[in-house]
Amino acid sequence: MDVQDLQFLLSKSQQGDVSSLYDLATYYQNKGENDLAFSYAYRGSTRYYPPCERKLGYFYEKGIGTKVDYKMAMHYYQLASSHGDIPSITNIGLLYYKGLGVEKDGRKAFELVQEAADKGHLMAISVLARFYRNGVGVAQNDAKYFQLINEARNLGERNVLHLIGLCYYNGVGVEKDFEKAFANFLAGSEENDIECFYYLGLMSVAGEGCPKDYSRALYFYQQGANKGDPRAMYNLALFYENGVYVPKNIDLVKYWLKKASDGGLESAKEKLISII
């Protein structure tokens, strides 16, 4: 947002346009000016504007511009949902799922997320899929999981192609099919779905769904590592350790193992200790 756009929003807010308060809260949130973000969301909430009520609930949940207060988060999510804000229903469900500010209740979480999904909330559909996958408040059902993940994708949800690819790769809710797995991972990589690069590397090494090709695997591991996937970092370190399509380089082995270790990958921590 440039200065002119910001001035336009500020002018609209001063003229009583409540939607501009939400936009200003979002703008200052993205800039890290959390006190201002909270202030604009609060102003919008006093005028019963559901998106601002929801954003204020999120600020309380995450401690943005205020102290973490799950009961206040629940209050504002409920207020927004009572004013017709469907995403807030999902947020309430997630509070029940996590047991934040309320007693943990998987069944209640499921019912709320199902309600939001039935009303077309895209994030709710993705969350509902995971509930079916993990049996949260409902019997575990892989076929339903696969169906919902595809539904979310068809409705425009991003970063789910690695999940669809994994379903085909492992035979979760659908017949195992390496070619379809590879195709979904490849499509996801083109949309910068970061987890896809790691699996494309694995499949290229194994020749699953594609010809075996270590140079292609190296490329995908490099892409995944550069985008922050610790597993791709670890496998890239192994390529440098063994000289697979790159010269052996102990410094780069240590570099990528350290990065993977910092990213929380335990196997990288153990290997790094063994070679230092």
Side-chain angles (χ1 to χ4, degrees):
M1 182 185 301
D2 59 26
V3 174
Q4 188 175 4
D5 290 335
L6 177 59
Q7 289 300 322
F8 177 71
L9 280 181
L10 290 168
S11 175
K12 284 181 66 179
S13 71
Q14 291 164 2
Q15 294 168 17
D17 180 76
V18 68
S19 66
S20 64
L21 296 173
Y22 176 85
D23 292 335
L24 285 165
T26 301
Y27 169 75
Y28 285 112
Q29 177 190 355
N30 291 337
K31 285 195 68 178
E33 297 183 34
N34 293 335
D35 289 344
L36 269 175
F38 184 90
S39 173
Y40 280 110
Y42 179 76
R43 284 173 58 186
S45 75
T46 64
R47 297 173 63 183
Y48 307 107
Y49 186 55
C52 280
E53 293 167 338
R54 176 184 5 111
K55 186 171 282 291
L56 199 60
Y58 180 79
F59 286 172
Y60 274 113
E61 182 182 351
K62 302 299 182 181
I64 297 173
T66 185
K67 292 181 179 179
V68 171
D69 189 328
Y70 297 125
K71 291 190 182 300
M72 287 295 287
M74 177 66 82
H75 168 73
Y76 279 104
Y77 287 150
Q78 289 177 328
L79 195 61
S81 69
S82 73
H83 294 148
D85 187 67
I86 296 170
S88 290
I89 301 172
T90 304
N91 292 347
I92 295 168
L94 289 172
L95 288 181
Y96 275 104
Y97 168 64
K98 299 170 185 175
L100 300 177
V102 290
E103 185 176 351
K104 191 169 186 175
D105 189 332
R107 186 62 194 174
K108 181 73 172 176
F110 174 82
E111 290 171 352
L112 286 161
V113 173
Q114 176 76 72
E115 178 185 347
D118 288 344
K119 293 179 178 179
H121 185 216
L122 187 54
M123 188 180 94
I125 295 170
S126 294
V127 173
L128 191 66
R130 289 162 174 81
F131 281 4
Y132 272 107
R133 175 67 171 137
N134 298 310
V136 176
V138 67
Q140 197 270 344
N141 188 325
D142 287 342
K144 189 69 174 177
Y145 167 72
F146 181 73
Q147 173 197 327
L148 287 166
I149 286 294
N150 276 276
E151 181 180 339
R153 170 64 185 174
N154 291 336
L155 290 172
E157 183 72 289
R158 297 181 62 83
N159 295 327
V160 295
L161 282 171
H162 72 279
L163 298 175
I164 297 173
L166 281 171
C167 285
Y168 281 114
Y169 187 79
N170 295 310
V172 174
V174 67
E175 187 176 348
K176 185 180 290 190
D177 188 322
F178 287 148
E179 290 187 2
K180 288 183 178 178
F182 190 88
N184 276 281
F185 290 139
L186 187 60
S189 73
E190 293 168 355
E191 295 182 5
N192 208 32
D193 186 344
I194 292 173
E195 291 196 48
C196 289
F197 296 101
Y198 168 74
Y199 293 107
L200 287 166
L202 285 184
M203 297 185 78
S204 294
V205 168
E208 295 171 330
C210 62
K212 185 178 291 191
D213 188 332
Y214 286 96
S215 64
R216 185 174 58 225
L218 172 65
Y219 168 78
F220 286 129
Y221 287 146
Q222 287 173 328
Q223 291 294 306
N226 288 330
K227 294 175 188 297
D229 188 333
R231 299 165 305 172
M233 294 172 187
Y234 180 86
N235 284 6
L236 182 57
L238 296 183
F239 270 47
Y240 279 112
E241 181 181 35
N242 297 303
V244 179
Y245 273 90
V246 287
K248 290 185 179 182
N249 188 323
I250 190 61
D251 290 333
L252 285 175
V253 172
K254 291 178 180 178
Y255 173 81
W256 286 114
L257 287 178
K258 177 67 166 55
K259 294 273 287 185
S261 176
D262 291 344
L265 193 66
E266 287 299 322
S267 56
K269 293 179 184 180
E270 294 169 3
K271 188 168 182 63
L272 185 60
I273 291 171
S274 71
I275 66 173
I276 291 178

